[in-house]
């Protein structure tokens, strides 16, 4: 098996990924992805091209690898199949986090408040002084602020409470660093509270490795990544992309809209898995990062078949045509059909 993502013949765990694809469309030698070292990767492709399927394949491979800890952020509720044998992952439905896991400076942004305005400033101060959302709400009435400021802060904190995502016993990211995948099902959450969970988990995994608090190398796999960039979770995601490999955190961002990702996501990714793309801005966003060692236009080699991918490996400075292997566990990303295709399959995302 040839391993993508390595610059030498070193040993170490490998994620079984698929097979090389010959020019006549037939399958060639088996191919794997290196998971001995952390990587920053992006998986892109239009709806139905196989990106979520690929993310599940990587999660399965990580579950079989020694010394790593897969954490899957699932905004659409399609990865619960990872609970099945032989992977035996754990799905956390509508997970909560501790309120004090968010830095005080993030609270005005979370609630849509101007941090320099009275209500935003008060919320920032309460978050710095208290360790739970309940305590923050309780402290509003006694705060040294004008009545209208206290009222505005109380209303916004009540909104945060209605999300039911902040709890004193919320997930500690360090508890997610076991051998089997932990799937955080955010499908029941709106975008803002889901972003709070993503930020806490992404930053928590990074801080845990910096502090040497966990021995395994966490890999955070984020589907629908475009929904979380540019907002509350943006700074934590940028930290993983630009600095995560040094302490030992892998990150894989999957999206059908690569044009919505920040430029740093594509430029910092040492692995780019590209499924079928047709939208002009998305093709341009990926083509802008054409490597100098690529002897032809990436646009010309974009795959056309579902489940096939072009893998750009910046570590070894190579480009590969690959057919991603079938899932070992149920694929919740398949699109239901009224009449199944002739081979009985459904469209994969």
């Amino acid at each position: 098996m040839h391993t993508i993502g390595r610059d030498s013949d070193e040993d170490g765990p490998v994620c079984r990924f698929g097979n090389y694809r010959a020019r006549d469309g037939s399958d060639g030698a088996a191919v794997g992805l290196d998971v001995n070292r952390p990587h920053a990767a992006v998986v892109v492709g239009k709806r139905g091209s196989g990106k979520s399927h690929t993310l599940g394949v990587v999660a399965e491979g990580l579950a079989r690898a020694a010394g790593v800890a897969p954490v899957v952020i699932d905004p659409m509720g399609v990865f619960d199949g990872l609970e099945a044998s032989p992977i035996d992952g754990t799905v956390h439905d509508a997970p909560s986090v501790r309120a004090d896991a968010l830095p005080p400076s993030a609270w005005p942004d979370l609630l849509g408040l101007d941090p320099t305005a009275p209500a935003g400033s008060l919320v920032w101060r309460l978050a710095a002084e208290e360790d739970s959302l309940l305590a923050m709400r309780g402290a509003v009435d006694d705060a040294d602020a004008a009545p209208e400021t206290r009222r505005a802060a109380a209303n916004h904190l009540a909104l945060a409470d209605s999300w039911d995502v902040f709890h004193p016993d919320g997930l500690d990211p360090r508890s997610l660093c076991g051998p089997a995948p932990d799937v955080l099902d955010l499908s029941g959450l709106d975008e803002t509270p889901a972003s709070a969970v993503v930020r806490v988990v992404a930053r928590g995994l990074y801080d845990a490795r910096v502090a040497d608090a966990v021995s395994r190398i966490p890999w955070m796999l984020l589907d629908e990544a475009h929904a979380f960039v540019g907002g509350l979770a943006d700074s934590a995601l940028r930290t993983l992309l630009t600095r995560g490999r040094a302490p030992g955190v892998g990150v894989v961002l999957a999206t059908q809209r690569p044009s919505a990702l920040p430029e740093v996501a594509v430029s910092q990714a040492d692995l780019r898995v590209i499924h079928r793309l047709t939208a002009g801005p998305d093709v341009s966003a990926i083509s802008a990062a054409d490597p100098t060692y690529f002897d032809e236009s990436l646009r010309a080699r974009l795959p056309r078949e579902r489940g096939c991918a072009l893998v750009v490996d910046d570590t070894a400075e190579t480009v590969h045509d690959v057919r991603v292997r079938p899932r070992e566990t149920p694929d919740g990303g398949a699109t239901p059909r009224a009449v199944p295709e002739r081979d009985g399959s459904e469209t994969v995302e």
Side-chain angles (χ1 to χ4, degrees):
M1 177 187 295
H2 179 76
T3 302
I4 296 174
R6 288 186 178 169
D7 56 4
S8 66
D9 294 328
E10 67 179 86
D11 294 325
V14 175
C15 165
R16 187 168 65 89
F17 192 66
N19 293 83
Y20 285 119
R21 187 166 172 269
R23 290 195 177 273
D24 64 1
S26 62
D27 287 347
V31 59
L33 296 179
D34 171 64
V35 294
N36 193 41
R37 302 174 185 270
H39 294 275
V42 294
V43 179
V44 303
K46 65 179 293 185
R47 181 178 176 82
S49 65
K51 64 173 180 59
S52 294
H53 176 92
T54 295
L55 207 63
V57 165
V58 174
E60 291 174 350
L62 290 168
R64 293 183 175 279
V68 300
V71 179
V72 182
I73 309 292
D74 182 9
M76 303 299 290
V78 299
F79 289 100
D80 57 353
L82 291 170
E83 282 187 306
S85 179
I87 302 304
D88 299 323
T90 299
V91 175
H92 304 266
D93 294 313
S96 62
V97 295
R98 289 180 57 93
D100 58 357
L102 274 180
S105 60
W107 274 88
D109 184 26
L110 172 72
L111 298 176
L113 293 170
D114 181 349
T116 65
S121 178
L122 176 56
V123 166
W124 185 329
R125 177 155 49 91
L126 292 170
E129 295 172 351
E130 309 296 340
D131 63 359
S132 71
L133 180 55
L134 180 63
M136 291 168 66
R137 295 189 69 190
V140 171
D141 288 341
D142 296 327
D144 181 15
E148 60 272 18
T149 298
R150 295 199 302 269
R151 185 164 52 250
N155 289 340
H156 281 84
L157 291 173
L159 172 63
D161 195 27
S162 72
W163 297 330
D164 200 27
V165 77
F166 297 107
H167 194 277
D169 297 323
L171 280 176
D172 181 342
R174 293 173 296 182
S175 71
L176 304 176
C177 293
D182 281 284
V183 180
L184 307 188
D185 185 347
L186 307 184
S187 59
L189 299 178
D190 290 336
E191 184 175 313
T192 299
S195 293
V197 174
V198 172
R199 174 164 178 159
V200 168
V201 172
R203 185 69 202 199
L205 294 175
Y206 176 82
D207 289 343
R209 285 294 297 179
V210 169
D212 203 22
V214 296
S215 58
R216 291 178 174 272
I217 292 179
W219 281 67
M220 193 185 86
L221 282 56
L222 176 62
D223 202 10
E224 303 296 325
H226 56 271
F228 300 99
V229 297
L232 186 71
D234 189 85
S235 62
L237 295 177
R238 287 176 183 268
T239 295
L240 291 188
L241 286 166
T242 59
R243 292 187 279 159
R245 280 170 283 184
V249 184
V251 60
V252 185
L253 304 183
T255 180
Q256 58 186 298
R257 294 176 51 203
S259 59
L261 294 180
E263 184 180 346
V264 68
V266 178
S267 64
Q268 290 292 321
D270 60 311
L271 288 174
R272 299 194 288 281
V273 181
I274 307 165
H275 289 286
R276 180 163 170 75
L277 290 170
T278 54
D282 293 328
V283 175
S284 296
I286 292 297
S287 298
D290 273 9
T292 56
Y293 49 84
F294 202 8
D295 59 2
E296 58 183 301
S297 168
L298 184 146
R299 187 185 297 261
R301 281 187 57 179
L302 286 176
R304 297 183 179 276
E305 293 184 30
R306 189 171 68 234
C308 295
L310 194 67
V311 182
V312 180
D313 174 10
D314 269 352
T315 301
E317 298 187 354
T318 52
V319 181
H320 310 276
D321 287 292
V322 174
R323 188 187 308 276
V324 181
R325 68 166 173 82
R327 287 276 301 272
E328 300 175 53
T329 51
D331 187 354
T335 301
R337 289 176 175 267
V339 178
E341 294 184 282
R342 290 183 181 179
D343 63 359
S345 66
E346 293 179 316
T347 302
V348 295
E349 296 221 0

